[in-house]
Amino acid sequence: DNQEEDEPQPEPEPEEEEEEPVVAVAEESNELSFCIWNTAFPLMEHLVGVFQENNPEVEIRVDSLGSECLNELTAGNFSFALYDMSPEERLLNTEMQEFHIGYTPAIIFIHRELGIEFLNQGDLAAIFRGEINNWAEVGGPDAEIIVAAAEDTHPWVYVHWALLDGDSEAWRDDMVYLGSLEEVNTFVTENWNAIAVSGTWGEPEQIMPVGIDGVPTDGITLMRGEYPMQWANILITDRQWDDLSDIEHQFIDFVYSDRGWEIPWMEGYVPWDNSGEGSIEVPENGRLSIAGSTLMADTMNEAIARFTDQHLGWEISYDPVGGQDSLEALVNGEVDVSLN
């Protein structure tokens, strides 16, 4: 047989598996740092304190550096800055990502006997400077104007900078300076011709917050940022949402939680309403019956009084029957709302 035998073929060498490149995974940060405008320091301390209780492993640093906060933030030295920003400042920082916390209002109180519903900021500035000294000059009775304020409080600081350009010599010589916002409200209650720079609600049956520039001073205009004399309290960062760490996301989520939302109220701020639903239109006339806890009676009666003062066509009642009985009344159709 002349047929050549097939030569054995070498076995193919096994292909080498390509190693996947090792990607370095950055270690997730467990730190938060905040630079705070001086007047907002107690608010941030409260927010951070409650957050830390539930997240004890997180390292948190809070520094109060005033007007240097924006520079320190953009230099990468802090996660966030909490800033009391005027509308003008916000226009200059359009690239910042904003997380609204609340507003610092300067509420102007007068006695109800004056019969004045609105004042404009120009007249207010003239009153605080001592250029307007009689209520008749702004549509009120012929009576001397007395001005009271609690110095170095949020409302006083707003008026000082926004209406008086930060001029410490601009305030009228006969200003009455008191120790607290509560003392200011009491002063107006006892002096019918007084006007006060305040930040808290007073006794609705004797004093009232005057509307500014045609905008009424109530919970809706304050929470929606429509009230003209307030600064926005904004947590800002120069990074986008996707660039924030998990712990930074968790903190923002906490700020907007029910628990976080309560803290600005407790610190004297007006929480921001981020529902995005626009202004609420209240019908001219209506009737509402509410039953609920006896502990809420004083608060509800005060709230009802404020609401019906501004909406005269409404009749609202509150029956403090207790929590369980209020639910039964609601189920039985005896009331419109049960408050527990």
Side-chain angles (χ1 to χ4, degrees), residues 210-233:
V210 67
I212 306 297
D213 296 341
V215 178
T217 305
D218 57 36
I220 294 173
T221 61
L222 288 168
M223 290 173 63
R224 297 194 183 281
E226 298 166 1
Y227 180 71
M229 286 181 49
Q230 59 185 357
W231 278 336
N233 307 113

Side-chain angles (χ1 to χ4, degrees), residues 14 20 51 66 77 106 110 145 153 173 178 269 296 314 321 324:
E20 295 185 5
F51 181 78
N77 297 328
I110 61 174
I145 296 176
T153 57
D173 295 333
L178 300 167
Y269 295 81
M296 290 296 295
W314 275 76
V321 297
Q324 186 61 39

Side-chain angles (χ1 to χ4, degrees), residues 20-87:
E20 295 185 5
V22 178
V23 178
V25 178
E27 186 176 344
E28 180 66 34
S29 173
N30 206 33
E31 300 179 356
L32 288 171
S33 56
F34 302 91
C35 186
I36 310 302
W37 183 252
N38 298 339
T39 56
F41 194 80
L43 172 60
M44 180 50 67
E45 272 196 322
H46 197 161
L47 285 167
V48 164
V50 175
F51 181 78
Q52 185 109 64
E53 287 177 6
N54 298 316
N55 300 274
E57 75 286 354
V58 180
E59 298 180 15
I60 303 179
R61 175 168 58 98
V62 180
D63 290 332
S64 179
L65 300 178
S67 58
E68 289 299 311
C69 276
L70 287 180
N71 293 333
E72 290 290 325
L73 177 69
T74 54
N77 297 328
F78 291 91
S79 309
F80 300 97
L82 179 61
Y83 214 59
D84 291 351
M85 298 183 78
S86 66

Side-chain angles (χ1 to χ4, degrees), residues 52-130:
Q52 185 109 64
E53 287 177 6
N54 298 316
N55 300 274
E57 75 286 354
V58 180
E59 298 180 15
I60 303 179
R61 175 168 58 98
V62 180
D63 290 332
S64 179
L65 300 178
S67 58
E68 289 299 311
C69 276
L70 287 180
N71 293 333
E72 290 290 325
L73 177 69
T74 54
N77 297 328
F78 291 91
S79 309
F80 300 97
L82 179 61
Y83 214 59
D84 291 351
M85 298 183 78
S86 66
E88 292 77 13
E89 287 176 308
R90 292 181 66 192
L91 289 175
L92 297 175
N93 293 281
T94 54
E95 295 183 359
M96 295 289 181
Q97 185 173 7
E98 300 179 349
F99 302 99
H100 293 243
I101 291 182
Y103 295 98
T104 304
I107 299 176
I108 307 300
F109 274 111
I110 61 174
H111 203 286
R112 291 182 182 276
E113 288 188 23
L114 286 172
I116 297 175
E117 187 176 1
F118 294 100
L119 290 171
N120 62 57
Q121 294 188 64
D123 287 342
L124 283 173
I127 289 172
F128 296 136
R129 290 179 184 275

Side-chain angles (χ1 to χ4, degrees), residues 99-323:
F99 302 99
H100 293 243
I101 291 182
Y103 295 98
T104 304
I107 299 176
I108 307 300
F109 274 111
I110 61 174
H111 203 286
R112 291 182 182 276
E113 288 188 23
L114 286 172
I116 297 175
E117 187 176 1
F118 294 100
L119 290 171
N120 62 57
Q121 294 188 64
D123 287 342
L124 283 173
I127 289 172
F128 296 136
R129 290 179 184 275
E131 298 165 359
I132 292 179
N133 296 291
N134 193 294
W135 284 112
E137 299 179 63
V138 290
D142 182 11
E144 177 191 5
I145 296 176
I146 303 174
V147 183
E151 196 171 6
D152 294 329
T153 57
H154 291 297
W156 183 90
V157 169
Y158 180 94
V159 171
H160 181 70
W161 287 100
L163 296 186
L164 303 182
D165 302 320
D167 182 3
S168 59
E169 303 296 324
W171 291 90
R172 57 191 300 141
D173 295 333
D174 59 353
M175 278 285 297
V176 178
Y177 287 108
L178 300 167
S180 68
L181 297 177
E182 289 73 20
E183 289 181 25
V184 168
N185 293 351
T186 300
F187 183 84
V188 179
T189 301
E190 297 172 349
N191 295 272
W192 74 274
N193 58 332
I195 183 172
V197 185
S198 188
T200 56
W201 297 105
E203 295 298 325
E205 60 270 16
Q206 293 173 312
I207 68 176
M208 60 176 284
V210 67
I212 306 297
D213 296 341
V215 178
T217 305
D218 57 36
I220 294 173
T221 61
L222 288 168
M223 290 173 63
R224 297 194 183 281
E226 298 166 1
Y227 180 71
M229 286 181 49
Q230 59 185 357
W231 278 336
N233 307 113
I234 304 173
L235 203 61
I236 58 175
T237 179
D238 57 351
R239 294 169 295 148
Q240 296 304 306
W241 178 257
D242 290 341
D243 297 326
L244 302 181
S245 68
D246 287 346
I247 199 64
E248 289 169 334
H249 286 158
Q250 289 178 35
F251 184 80
I252 297 300
D253 290 341
F254 160 71
V255 167
Y256 288 127
S257 68
D258 290 343
R259 181 67 181 93
W261 194 83
E262 294 174 348
I263 292 174
W265 273 127
M266 298 169 70
E267 292 294 335
Y269 295 81
V270 178
W272 180 62
D273 180 2
N274 62 347
S275 64
E277 297 174 358
S279 297
I280 299 173
E281 293 187 7
V282 180
E284 185 175 348
N285 300 294
R287 179 174 294 178
L288 187 66
S289 58
I290 308 170
S293 165
T294 54
L295 296 176
M296 290 296 295
D298 290 343
T299 300
M300 285 302 301
N301 287 329
E302 182 179 345
I304 289 170
R306 291 180 191 165
F307 183 87
T308 53
D309 276 350
Q310 298 178 34
H311 305 283
L312 300 179
W314 275 76
E315 296 181 14
I316 304 178
S317 63
Y318 183 74
D319 189 4
V321 297

